[in-house]
Amino acid sequence: QVQLVESGGGLVQAGGSLRLSCTASGNILASDTVGWYRQAPGKEREMVATMGRFENVEYGDSVKGRFAISRDNSKNTVFLQMNNLTPEDTGTYFCNAVRTRFPGYNSWGEGTQVTVSS
């Protein structure tokens, strides 16, 4: 089972930037799907960005044009560059990695807090 650890969260003013990192304990294959999700207090967890096989990327509507997901398979690390942050981006950000090929796995990190002040 792959274990994920997020880092890079913090407090930032509106309009600022943060770069989140997610490091896996095991090997993440290029064919594995990796992603970032977030959850604000009192709200459901929502997809922020995912990157699948062949680096096909999807973004949540609210972050398109501001956030960018990337990965370094050689370092088993996934990144989320967040620009032009707004208070609505505040929440706990979780990293996720999924392998559907048997035996497969679906792993989540414990999250990193992002707080954007107005």
Side-chain angles (χ1 to χ4, degrees), residues 2 4 22 24 27-37 47 49-58 69-71 73 78 95-101 104-108:
V2 172
L4 306 174
C22 171
N27 291 327
I28 297 180
L29 301 178
S31 58
D32 294 348
T33 296
V34 294
W36 290 93
Y37 295 74
M47 186 272 286
T50 62
M51 177 179 284
R53 194 173 185 178
F54 306 124
E55 297 191 351
N56 56 305
V57 176
E58 293 187 12
I69 186 172
S70 61
R71 63 196 295 174
N73 293 323
V78 183
C95 181
N96 173 252
V98 178
R99 181 180 301 163
T100 56
R101 188 179 66 184
Y105 68 85
N106 186 346
S107 295
W108 290 89

Side-chain angles (χ1 to χ4, degrees), residues 15-28:
S17 298
L18 282 176
R19 189 190 194 206
L20 305 183
S21 298
C22 171
T23 302
S25 61
N27 291 327
I28 297 180

Side-chain angles (χ1 to χ4, degrees), residues 24-89:
S25 61
N27 291 327
I28 297 180
L29 301 178
S31 58
D32 294 348
T33 296
V34 294
W36 290 93
Y37 295 74
R38 69 185 181 189
Q39 188 167 18
K43 295 187 177 181
E44 294 187 352
R45 189 172 298 189
E46 64 173 346
M47 186 272 286
V48 175
T50 62
M51 177 179 284
R53 194 173 185 178
F54 306 124
E55 297 191 351
N56 56 305
V57 176
E58 293 187 12
Y59 292 101
D61 289 341
S62 63
V63 306
K64 287 179 180 177
R66 300 187 298 122
F67 290 13
I69 186 172
S70 61
R71 63 196 295 174
D72 185 339
N73 293 323
S74 67
K75 297 181 179 179
N76 295 312
T77 302
V78 183
F79 304 98
L80 183 68
Q81 178 66 43
M82 307 186 294
N83 299 323
N84 194 21
L85 286 160
T86 73
E88 289 69 34
D89 295 316

